[in-house]
Amino acid sequence: MIPWYRLLFACLFALVGCGAPAPPAPGADDPAPEEPLPFQEVAARAGLSGFRVIAARGEQTNLLDTVGCGAAVLDADGDRLVDLVLTGPDRVTLFRNRGNFQFEAVEAGFRQPGRWAGLAVGDVNNDGCPDLFVNGYGSAALYLNEGGRYREVTDAQGLTPPVGKTPLWGTSAGFADLDRDGWVDLVVCRYVDFGADQPQRCPTMHPGVTAVCSPEIYSPQRPRVFRNLQGRGFQDVTDAWGVRAHGAARGVAFQDADGDGFPEIAFANDRLPHDFFVRQGAGYVERGAESATGYDREGRVHGGAGLDWADVDRDGRPDLTVMTSAGEDRSLYRNLGGNLFEEVGWRWGLTGEMRMEVTFGGRFLDYDNDGWSDLVLASGHIQENAERVRPGDSYEQPVRLFRSNGFSLTPVGPEMWPRAVGRALATADFDNDGGMDFVVTTLSGPPLLFRNVGPRGNWIGLHLEGTRANRMAIGARVMVRTPDHVRVAEVQTAGSYMAAHDSRLLIGVGRVGAVESVTVRWSGGKEVVIPAPALNTWTRVREQ
């Protein structure tokens, strides 16, 4: 039986945990129009409009319907054009990139039945072909890439979820070489206990109006860590490595935050303290509270979802952003060194009108290649009847873009593009033109695909390939030195929300005419200086 106080909290959540009134209509005294937006939404002409997910079911909509569907980008067939995988209820579809922003759905061997959600990309057997893990509610699947077609090996690799009274609810997932043995390990996020015998909807303060229940009334499930046994399978080492998380994780991201060569693990949890796991000895220790990343600046928990890392202030230390729910600032934790952080999202501009939106996907990208990490966000309410629960709220919400200048994030346009119920957000340079593009999955129709069409500075593109390190070079760190700044970036495919990203590094260098030096620290620890690559082209770098 659910305690009475949890049900009461759910009622209050339905009333107050929602959006703000819409802004007034433009008037004659408004300022001149903003500069043209740097992205065009091209999903329909790109061939993605047939993949539609509609989650709202009126009075039958429950928490399971709200979590959303995933997106992953990877070069499945080795043609140097990154392809796209989308998930939904009973659907896992590979869209082959045919060039010039044209995509074609192809049969790739994926199992279809299941409540599929997040995706993770990594080369689990180091054969040079990116493999795919698909997470979901009561289901999970690992696929080996066999030249562009996929073969399921979930059982053989030891990743089939155990069957219990309540299904295991998988959300995001990610690959990282956690022990630096040259093989990528797998981290699987799990959400809450939810089944047919659990509350499906909860009352609100409005007579006769019910809404999706708050996650607090359900018991949290906890993420699991699986060590890669050198391509022979995976072993659950969650307890052995000390990864005892709070649970209800909806996002995971990796980064070497303290410079010791090992990746830290950050989990964004829903209504529980966030987790920040630091490598210690042969395992990990949780430092969320001590690092100041576990809570907001006033010591409260978040409705955490997506998260991402980037060196936003160019001090050589990666910073962390966490996507949050209605009534909360989007958090930005500035890395002070020594695994200590300061929450500066409110000071950098991640507040205001967007504070009342429910943000899921978030990703750093330098969209104009000026050398600063910008931020793009995807939002959408969890209550399909948000307008009835609180007048002025909206189920569909905007995608937002923020431009960075190194000490603040400024909105680009009042809102970007049509509103949607946004969830996963994945980034890639789909047309290899040196402009980072991105895709957003939605629960209100087809995905949104944003092509970068704005003016941009110079750039270098690096496709790293490990030999002693894992083949996709996940975890490798690159330092690019130019006459006026230094950029630090890390190869990662995980991050955002239920998404996997282009493993190549696209590094903007602004107006400089040449790069002075490029230093690569491979994930095994070896550091080398490589010849400065040509500007405005993609360069493949193989570990020697």
Side-chain angles (χ1 to χ4, degrees):
M1 178 178 295
I2 302 301
W4 65 269
Y5 58 86
R6 288 192 171 184
L7 289 173
L8 176 60
F9 186 92
C11 298
L12 294 174
F13 172 86
L15 179 65
V16 303
C18 308
D29 296 330
D30 286 343
E34 298 278 343
E35 62 185 81
L37 292 175
F39 291 91
Q40 290 181 352
E41 202 290 299
V42 297
R45 66 184 118 161
L48 302 181
S49 58
F51 192 97
R52 301 177 61 87
V53 177
I54 306 294
R57 298 183 294 124
E59 294 300 311
Q60 301 301 312
T61 305
N62 59 29
L63 189 64
L64 181 58
D65 297 317
T66 70
V67 171
C69 37
V73 291
L74 73 169
D75 184 0
D77 54 0
D79 65 354
R80 302 197 179 187
L81 289 172
V82 288
D83 309 301
L84 175 63
V85 179
L86 298 174
T87 67
D90 299 323
R91 300 168 76 186
V92 181
T93 303
L94 172 65
F95 288 87
R96 194 83 71 192
N97 187 345
R98 299 305 189 192
N100 195 30
F101 268 79
Q102 295 297 306
F103 292 82
E104 178 187 6
V106 297
E107 207 290 314
F110 297 132
R111 169 163 47 110
Q112 299 302 316
R115 293 298 295 260
W116 301 111
L119 298 140
V121 172
D123 188 351
V124 303
N125 54 2
N126 283 338
D127 67 349
C129 298
D131 308 305
L132 189 73
F133 177 79
V134 190
N135 214 3
Y137 175 78
S139 56
L142 177 66
Y143 294 96
L144 291 184
N145 185 341
E146 298 181 332
R149 186 171 176 84
Y150 287 82
R151 175 171 61 90
E152 185 176 357
V153 294
T154 317
D155 289 341
Q157 294 282 306
L159 292 174
T160 300
V163 177
K165 180 180 178 182
T166 303
L168 294 174
W169 186 347
T171 54
S172 296
F175 286 104
D177 187 359
L178 299 177
D179 55 0
R180 299 201 320 180
D181 67 349
W183 301 84
V184 288
D185 311 299
L186 176 64
V187 177
V188 177
C189 292
R190 288 175 179 160
Y191 194 30
V192 296
D193 285 338
F194 180 84
D197 59 342
Q198 302 286 335
Q200 304 296 297
R201 293 179 67 84
C202 289
T204 70
M205 295 299 183
H206 301 281
V209 178
T210 63
V212 171
C213 298
S214 167
E216 286 94 337
I217 74 167
Y218 308 104
S219 298
Q221 297 180 356
R222 289 174 173 79
R224 307 303 295 178
V225 178
F226 298 90
R227 186 186 182 199
N228 188 337
L229 302 177
Q230 299 186 0
R232 301 187 304 273
F234 286 83
Q235 176 188 10
D236 189 330
V237 293
T238 310
D239 297 329
W241 284 6
V243 185
R244 300 176 181 90
H246 288 88
R250 294 196 291 181
V252 62
F254 311 98
Q255 194 84 181
D256 180 8
D258 55 9
D260 68 350
F262 286 93
E264 273 65 57
I265 310 172
F267 291 107
N269 302 324
D270 194 4
R271 301 295 168 187
L272 287 170
H274 304 314
D275 291 298
F276 179 63
F277 285 94
V278 177
R279 188 77 182 185
Q280 181 172 297
Y284 281 85
V285 61
E286 206 281 312
R287 291 284 185 261
E290 293 90 334
S291 67
T293 62
Y295 304 87
D296 71 8
R297 70 180 186 277
E298 296 179 357
R300 298 171 300 192
V301 296
H302 285 132
L307 71 174
D308 197 29
W309 292 91
D311 181 9
V312 297
D313 52 4
R314 293 202 314 217
D315 65 354
R317 296 187 293 262
D319 311 294
L320 175 66
T321 187
V322 178
M323 305 304 103
T324 58
S325 191
E328 304 166 349
D329 292 339
R330 309 306 85 122
S331 286
L332 176 60
Y333 298 96
R334 182 170 175 262
N335 191 338
L336 305 177
N339 287 321
L340 297 176
F341 294 78
E342 176 191 12
E343 206 292 296
V344 297
W346 61 279
R347 196 162 67 224
W348 276 57
L350 297 180
T351 183
E353 178 184 325
M354 65 166 294
R355 192 174 188 272
M356 299 310 295
E357 294 165 3
V358 183
T359 304
F360 283 82
R363 182 76 169 159
F364 287 114
L365 75 173
D366 183 1
Y367 75 89
D368 52 3
N369 291 340
D370 66 350
W372 297 103
S373 296
D374 311 304
L375 182 64
V376 63
L377 308 177
S379 302
H381 217 291
I382 69 167
Q383 295 166 348
E384 88 293 347
N385 58 347
E387 295 86 350
R388 292 187 64 196
V389 175
R390 184 183 176 104
D393 277 5
S394 175
Y395 183 46
E396 297 183 335
Q397 296 177 349
V399 175
R400 294 188 185 272
L401 177 67
F402 292 82
R403 177 188 290 123
S404 173
N405 60 10
F407 54 86
S408 67
L409 290 158
T410 304
V412 178
E415 286 185 9
M416 290 188 72
W417 315 290
R419 291 179 167 229
V421 187
R423 291 298 186 260
L425 189 158
T427 56
D429 182 3
F430 285 111
D431 53 358
N432 292 333
D433 69 345
M436 192 61 79
D437 316 297
F438 65 98
V439 61
V440 174
T441 67
T442 81
L443 294 181
S444 52
L448 305 174
L449 180 62
F450 296 98
R451 184 174 191 174
N452 192 329
V453 296
R456 301 188 292 270
N458 292 323
W459 55 280
I460 63 171
L462 298 175
H463 185 178
L464 303 186
E465 181 182 337
T467 54
R468 288 179 290 275
N470 69 87
R471 188 71 174 268
M472 288 183 68
I474 291 175
R477 176 166 291 191
V478 172
M479 183 174 68
V480 176
R481 187 178 299 277
T482 72
D484 60 0
H485 68 266
V486 175
R487 288 289 310 276
V488 175
E490 200 164 293
V491 176
Q492 297 291 350
T493 58
S496 184
Y497 174 75
M498 300 207 312
H501 314 280
D502 194 344
S503 64
R504 302 173 301 170
L505 293 179
L506 196 161
I507 300 174
V509 296
R511 297 182 178 180
V512 303
V515 171
E516 292 182 345
S517 66
V518 176
T519 302
V520 178
R521 190 194 69 190
W522 297 94
S523 60
K526 181 182 178 181
E527 187 170 295
V528 296
V529 178
I530 64 173
L535 293 180
N536 304 323
T537 189
W538 283 98
T539 301
R540 187 178 292 264
V541 179
R542 193 167 189 265
E543 183 183 15
Q544 300 300 316

PDB file of all heavy atoms in Angstrom, residues 376-387:
ATOM      1  N   VAL A 376      22.230  23.452 -25.785  1.00  0.00           N
ATOM      2  CA  VAL A 376      20.904  23.273 -26.365  1.00  0.00           C
ATOM      3  C   VAL A 376      20.094  22.367 -25.463  1.00  0.00           C
ATOM      4  O   VAL A 376      20.619  21.402 -24.884  1.00  0.00           O
ATOM      5  CB  VAL A 376      21.001  22.710 -27.808  1.00  0.00           C
ATOM      6  CG1 VAL A 376      21.633  21.339 -27.848  1.00  0.00           C
ATOM      7  CG2 VAL A 376      19.629  22.688 -28.473  1.00  0.00           C
ATOM      8  N   LEU A 377      18.792  22.687 -25.289  1.00  0.00           N
ATOM      9  CA  LEU A 377      17.917  21.997 -24.350  1.00  0.00           C
ATOM     10  C   LEU A 377      16.623  21.573 -25.029  1.00  0.00           C
ATOM     11  O   LEU A 377      16.096  22.295 -25.877  1.00  0.00           O
ATOM     12  CB  LEU A 377      17.555  22.912 -23.166  1.00  0.00           C
ATOM     13  CG  LEU A 377      18.704  23.598 -22.424  1.00  0.00           C
ATOM     14  CD1 LEU A 377      18.141  24.521 -21.348  1.00  0.00           C
ATOM     15  CD2 LEU A 377      19.634  22.577 -21.809  1.00  0.00           C
ATOM     16  N   ALA A 378      16.108  20.407 -24.637  1.00  0.00           N
ATOM     17  CA  ALA A 378      14.822  19.913 -25.126  1.00  0.00           C
ATOM     18  C   ALA A 378      13.900  19.683 -23.933  1.00  0.00           C
ATOM     19  O   ALA A 378      14.278  19.009 -22.973  1.00  0.00           O
ATOM     20  CB  ALA A 378      14.999  18.610 -25.905  1.00  0.00           C
ATOM     21  N   SER A 379      12.686  20.234 -24.010  1.00  0.00           N
ATOM     22  CA  SER A 379      11.761  20.185 -22.878  1.00  0.00           C
ATOM     23  C   SER A 379      10.381  19.711 -23.308  1.00  0.00           C
ATOM     24  O   SER A 379      10.010  19.790 -24.481  1.00  0.00           O
ATOM     25  CB  SER A 379      11.640  21.573 -22.227  1.00  0.00           C
ATOM     26  OG  SER A 379      12.893  22.046 -21.786  1.00  0.00           O
ATOM     27  N   GLY A 380       9.620  19.247 -22.339  1.00  0.00           N
ATOM     28  CA  GLY A 380       8.229  18.843 -22.554  1.00  0.00           C
ATOM     29  C   GLY A 380       7.647  18.362 -21.241  1.00  0.00           C
ATOM     30  O   GLY A 380       8.323  17.688 -20.453  1.00  0.00           O
ATOM     31  N   HIS A 381       6.413  18.728 -20.987  1.00  0.00           N
ATOM     32  CA  HIS A 381       5.768  18.388 -19.719  1.00  0.00           C
ATOM     33  C   HIS A 381       5.550  16.883 -19.612  1.00  0.00           C
ATOM     34  O   HIS A 381       5.554  16.160 -20.624  1.00  0.00           O
ATOM     35  CB  HIS A 381       4.423  19.109 -19.610  1.00  0.00           C
ATOM     36  CG  HIS A 381       4.102  19.569 -18.227  1.00  0.00           C
ATOM     37  ND1 HIS A 381       3.820  18.711 -17.196  1.00  0.00           N
ATOM     38  CD2 HIS A 381       4.026  20.817 -17.701  1.00  0.00           C
ATOM     39  CE1 HIS A 381       3.568  19.395 -16.102  1.00  0.00           C
ATOM     40  NE2 HIS A 381       3.698  20.686 -16.376  1.00  0.00           N
ATOM     41  N   ILE A 382       5.355  16.376 -18.379  1.00  0.00           N
ATOM     42  CA  ILE A 382       4.999  14.970 -18.223  1.00  0.00           C
ATOM     43  C   ILE A 382       3.485  14.785 -18.129  1.00  0.00           C
ATOM     44  O   ILE A 382       3.001  13.657 -18.255  1.00  0.00           O
ATOM     45  CB  ILE A 382       5.675  14.336 -16.992  1.00  0.00           C
ATOM     46  CG1 ILE A 382       5.123  14.895 -15.688  1.00  0.00           C
ATOM     47  CG2 ILE A 382       7.172  14.490 -17.069  1.00  0.00           C
ATOM     48  CD1 ILE A 382       5.529  14.088 -14.477  1.00  0.00           C
ATOM     49  N   GLN A 383       2.752  15.871 -17.902  1.00  0.00           N
ATOM     50  CA  GLN A 383       1.296  15.770 -17.779  1.00  0.00           C
ATOM     51  C   GLN A 383       0.645  16.226 -19.077  1.00  0.00           C
ATOM     52  O   GLN A 383       0.766  17.382 -19.464  1.00  0.00           O
ATOM     53  CB  GLN A 383       0.811  16.616 -16.597  1.00  0.00           C
ATOM     54  CG  GLN A 383       1.324  16.099 -15.263  1.00  0.00           C
ATOM     55  CD  GLN A 383       1.139  17.084 -14.137  1.00  0.00           C
ATOM     56  OE1 GLN A 383       0.823  18.240 -14.353  1.00  0.00           O
ATOM     57  NE2 GLN A 383       1.343  16.616 -12.914  1.00  0.00           N
ATOM     58  N   GLU A 384      -0.037  15.289 -19.725  1.00  0.00           N
ATOM     59  CA  GLU A 384      -0.644  15.635 -21.015  1.00  0.00           C
ATOM     60  C   GLU A 384      -1.793  16.621 -20.854  1.00  0.00           C
ATOM     61  O   GLU A 384      -2.182  17.298 -21.806  1.00  0.00           O
ATOM     62  CB  GLU A 384      -1.107  14.357 -21.725  1.00  0.00           C
ATOM     63  CG  GLU A 384      -2.514  13.873 -21.396  1.00  0.00           C
ATOM     64  CD  GLU A 384      -2.697  13.390 -19.960  1.00  0.00           C
ATOM     65  OE1 GLU A 384      -1.701  13.191 -19.244  1.00  0.00           O
ATOM     66  OE2 GLU A 384      -3.846  13.211 -19.547  1.00  0.00           O
ATOM     67  N   ASN A 385      -2.349  16.740 -19.641  1.00  0.00           N
ATOM     68  CA  ASN A 385      -3.418  17.696 -19.373  1.00  0.00           C
ATOM     69  C   ASN A 385      -2.902  18.857 -18.523  1.00  0.00           C
ATOM     70  O   ASN A 385      -3.593  19.365 -17.643  1.00  0.00           O
ATOM     71  CB  ASN A 385      -4.583  17.012 -18.670  1.00  0.00           C
ATOM     72  CG  ASN A 385      -4.177  16.359 -17.346  1.00  0.00           C
ATOM     73  OD1 ASN A 385      -2.985  16.205 -17.078  1.00  0.00           O
ATOM     74  ND2 ASN A 385      -5.157  15.994 -16.536  1.00  0.00           N
ATOM     75  N   ALA A 386      -1.663  19.265 -18.797  1.00  0.00           N
ATOM     76  CA  ALA A 386      -1.028  20.303 -17.986  1.00  0.00           C
ATOM     77  C   ALA A 386      -1.859  21.583 -17.934  1.00  0.00           C
ATOM     78  O   ALA A 386      -1.927  22.241 -16.896  1.00  0.00           O
ATOM     79  CB  ALA A 386       0.359  20.606 -18.544  1.00  0.00           C
ATOM     80  N   GLU A 387      -2.510  21.924 -19.046  1.00  0.00           N
ATOM     81  CA  GLU A 387      -3.303  23.155 -19.083  1.00  0.00           C
ATOM     82  C   GLU A 387      -4.496  23.097 -18.125  1.00  0.00           C
ATOM     83  O   GLU A 387      -4.907  24.123 -17.576  1.00  0.00           O
ATOM     84  CB  GLU A 387      -3.793  23.428 -20.512  1.00  0.00           C
ATOM     85  CG  GLU A 387      -2.677  23.708 -21.518  1.00  0.00           C
ATOM     86  CD  GLU A 387      -2.102  22.441 -22.132  1.00  0.00           C
ATOM     87  OE1 GLU A 387      -2.438  21.323 -21.642  1.00  0.00           O
ATOM     88  OE2 GLU A 387      -1.323  22.556 -23.093  1.00  0.00           O
TER      89      GLU A 387
END
